[in-house]
Amino acid sequence: MVCSALRRVVRVYICLARKARHAYRSYQHHAWGSSPPTAEFAAQGASGSVVELLGKSYLQDNYSNLSRKVLSRVGRNLHNQQYHPLWLIKERVKEHFYRQYVGRSRTPLFSVYDSLSPVVTTWQNFDSLLIPADHPSRKKGDNYYLNQTHMLRAHTSAHQWDLLHAGLNAFLVVGDVYRRDQIDSQHYPVFHQLEGVRLFSKHELFAGIKDGESLQLFEQSSRSGHKQETHTMEATKLIEFDLKQTLTRLVTHLLGDGLEIRWVDCYFPFTHPSFEMEINFHGEWLEVLGCGVMEQQLVNSAGAQDRIGWAFGLGLERLAMILYDIPDIRLFWSEDERFLKQFYVSDINQEVKFQPLSKYPAVTNDISFWLPSENYAENDFYDLVRTIGGDLVEKVDLIDTFEHPKTLRTSHCYRITYRHMERTLSQREVSHVHQAVQKAAVQLLAVEGRF
């Protein structure tokens, strides 16, 4: 775990930034979306210091764990940048919902919110969604906290309760979300989600159903794997059918006819029953979204006690990588015109297949160390590598785990793959960055180096 002596963290990072500066001189002039090296290091200050973000001040405490790397991404809003591939996906989803679902006055049934602040309270991100206080998804190792009460949202679901409480029955939320995770071509600490919610009254759900006026939304029974204790089986099955039909139409609109789709039962704290949609893509089953019947406790607490509903969430990057053949998630942050111009289309539904930029050779370096006796979290190491190496780091693989037979100490060996998206890296410049990673790991994570 990152050292709790936050003053010392800042001193160490400044020192490492100076030592890594040579490697970054070239990087900061050529890398896309890069910042000066000192800005890439941890934003944590001493407990009681203040961080400014989106025009507001947040007092830091022992929960604060934001890096400058992540902070530099806040406010970029790739999903709102015209002709960006994520914007294209968002606009195609909006167009589909606007055309397919209209109200009595022939106006769109779904409203869209794509500019909500990514800074939310921990109550919004967890408690409002019925996520238990001891749930592992709350861990510091998995999230970016401003302090104990505020964080960068981990999902767009953080806005569900507020919008329901405002009286909305059908809406889409689009935005950037933040999670500490592994490093590879499919994962990045910032990505973008699209959330959909729809509530139904008794009349709306049972309209057109034979003898529908005799059916009920609610009952008091027992919870099973197929329904909640407050929902009738008839209401649950109709909601489930409408949800799956809605999402099948959406994904078919985006990816084309002839898709092989399957539904997998899963668990989310805020829906039950819950499902994941998987599609067969080039012979491989890929999960593209999660969804389910909204927990009635959540709906009731937001003031919609007479309604029942569904919710879904999908990742824009995942869909864009499938639809446009984009091989590396880092490309979404590129400011290279060779990438961006490929998506300048006259029609958002126009077929686009990404033409790869020249793929420059990778440089790999290994790092081995003994783990401390306690408080080591792998995501802390990944975040440290991402902070120091930036978007030079393509992936990090754990390639060996060894337990000493006498001391019972555990050693990890990671292989870090460095690859610039626009030019060839030399081993010499990578070595400066890699050495900074080694020193930071020892001084901040309390590991014992084997290098």
Side-chain angles (χ1 to χ4, degrees):
M1 182 173 288
V2 176
C3 180
S4 60
L6 294 173
R7 293 183 190 276
R8 178 168 167 260
V9 170
V10 174
R11 291 198 298 270
V12 170
Y13 268 136
I14 290 172
C15 175
L16 291 171
R18 289 170 179 160
K19 293 182 178 180
R21 182 171 288 121
H22 174 76
Y24 271 89
R25 279 177 186 154
S26 181
Y27 172 54
Q28 71 185 84
H29 287 295
H30 297 281
W32 30 266
S34 59
S35 303
T38 52
E40 293 296 326
F41 294 93
Q44 299 105 302
S47 184
S49 63
V50 172
V51 63
E52 302 282 342
L53 187 59
L54 300 178
K56 294 186 177 181
S57 301
Y58 299 91
L59 193 65
Q60 297 189 81
D61 56 26
N62 62 351
Y63 255 70
S64 307
N65 65 350
L66 283 176
S67 67
R68 289 291 179 192
K69 176 69 178 177
V70 169
L71 284 175
S72 72
R73 299 311 196 205
V74 178
R76 287 284 300 275
N77 297 325
L78 300 183
H79 61 289
N80 288 334
Q81 293 182 19
Q82 193 171 23
Y83 301 118
H84 190 281
L86 299 182
W87 176 86
L88 290 176
I89 296 286
K90 182 196 74 171
E91 291 301 307
R92 292 189 65 188
V93 173
K94 281 172 54 180
E95 179 190 63
H96 174 76
F97 273 89
Y98 282 173
R99 288 185 175 181
Q100 291 291 321
Y101 308 98
V102 294
R104 292 180 180 177
S105 61
R106 307 306 298 170
T107 57
L109 184 66
F110 283 80
S111 51
V112 178
Y113 299 86
D114 58 10
S115 299
L116 299 175
S117 173
V119 179
V120 297
T121 65
T122 51
W123 186 89
Q124 289 173 299
N125 200 79
F126 299 120
D127 300 273
S128 73
L129 296 168
L130 312 179
I131 297 175
D134 59 351
H135 196 274
S137 66
R138 293 178 180 251
K139 292 189 302 184
K140 280 181 64 177
D142 292 341
N143 299 286
Y144 289 104
Y145 285 92
L146 285 155
N147 53 38
Q148 195 164 1
T149 60
H150 289 81
M151 64 186 297
L152 296 178
R153 63 189 168 209
H155 42 205
T156 47
S157 305
H159 303 287
Q160 268 189 26
W161 191 94
D162 292 316
L163 295 174
L164 291 173
H165 190 64
L168 298 176
N169 294 319
F171 54 84
L172 304 176
V173 179
V174 194
D176 43 335
V177 298
Y178 300 78
R179 295 183 194 169
R180 305 175 88 205
D181 210 336
Q182 65 198 80
I183 300 175
D184 58 34
S185 62
Q186 305 290 320
H187 295 86
Y188 200 79
V190 191
F191 58 103
H192 298 76
Q193 280 189 340
L194 186 147
E195 181 99 2
V197 168
R198 185 175 183 185
L199 299 185
F200 294 82
S201 65
K202 175 184 173 181
H203 172 74
E204 291 168 336
L205 187 62
F206 297 131
I209 303 296
K210 184 179 179 180
D211 299 325
E213 61 276 3
S214 65
L215 299 176
Q216 302 296 323
L217 294 178
F218 306 111
E219 67 179 11
Q220 287 301 321
S221 59
S222 58
R223 176 174 290 238
S224 71
H226 303 290
K227 65 181 256 348
Q228 298 174 38
E229 60 273 22
T230 57
H231 293 165
T232 64
M233 184 60 77
E234 295 84 358
T236 299
K237 288 303 179 183
L238 282 172
I239 287 287
E240 181 182 326
F241 175 81
D242 186 85
L243 169 63
K244 291 181 176 179
Q245 183 182 62
T246 298
L247 295 176
T248 298
R249 286 174 176 168
L250 171 62
V251 173
T252 300
H253 168 70
L254 294 174
L255 301 178
D257 295 324
L259 279 177
E260 188 178 358
I261 294 173
R262 70 182 184 188
W263 298 93
V264 180
D265 293 341
C266 64
Y267 167 77
F268 300 115
F270 36 88
T271 57
H272 180 75
S274 302
F275 314 96
E276 289 178 342
M277 175 196 276
E278 295 184 349
I279 63 170
N280 193 329
F281 184 70
H282 295 329
E284 180 182 358
W285 286 101
L286 298 178
E287 182 260 313
V288 292
L289 59 84
C291 62
V293 179
M294 296 182 71
E295 281 285 355
Q296 197 60 37
Q297 182 183 341
L298 189 165
V299 176
N300 291 350
S301 69
Q305 297 91 332
D306 60 339
R307 293 178 179 268
I308 183 174
W310 52 247
F312 74 88
L314 57 84
L316 294 184
E317 280 88 348
R318 171 62 64 89
L319 279 177
M321 293 175 85
I322 294 172
L323 187 61
Y324 302 132
D325 285 345
I326 297 174
D328 194 311
I329 196 169
R330 293 176 297 164
L331 280 165
F332 291 108
W333 296 93
S334 175
E335 295 178 350
D336 190 329
E337 284 298 309
R338 293 176 300 167
F339 172 76
L340 297 173
K341 281 185 176 179
Q342 296 189 39
F343 302 95
Y344 290 179
V345 293
S346 57
D347 180 353
I348 59 174
N349 294 303
Q350 180 177 327
E351 183 176 350
V352 179
K353 291 299 179 184
F354 170 64
Q355 298 301 313
L357 311 179
S358 298
K359 191 163 186 178
Y360 294 94
V363 178
T364 59
N365 281 228
D366 294 349
I367 178 172
S368 300
F369 47 75
W370 295 105
L371 305 188
S373 57
E374 58 183 12
N375 293 334
Y376 175 78
E378 202 163 64
N379 280 348
D380 287 335
F381 176 66
Y382 293 145
D383 205 43
L384 181 148
V385 173
R386 183 83 76 179
T387 298
I388 295 175
D391 287 341
L392 293 182
V393 180
E394 180 176 84
K395 63 178 179 176
V396 178
D397 296 311
L398 176 61
I399 61 173
D400 185 60
T401 299
F402 169 73
E403 183 175 286
H404 196 285
K406 293 183 178 180
T407 65
L408 301 182
R409 297 179 69 191
T410 299
S411 170
H412 279 184
C413 179
Y414 296 90
R415 177 156 295 159
I416 304 178
T417 301
Y418 300 89
R419 191 197 307 269
H420 203 294
M421 304 297 287
E422 297 168 12
R423 64 181 178 84
T424 300
L425 290 172
S426 69
Q427 178 61 59
R428 181 180 178 183
E429 63 182 321
V430 167
S431 293
H432 285 281
V433 178
H434 194 72
Q435 288 168 13
V437 170
Q438 292 174 329
K439 292 176 182 177
V442 170
Q443 297 185 50
L444 302 180
L445 304 183
V447 303
E448 182 182 331
R450 301 181 67 189
F451 34 82

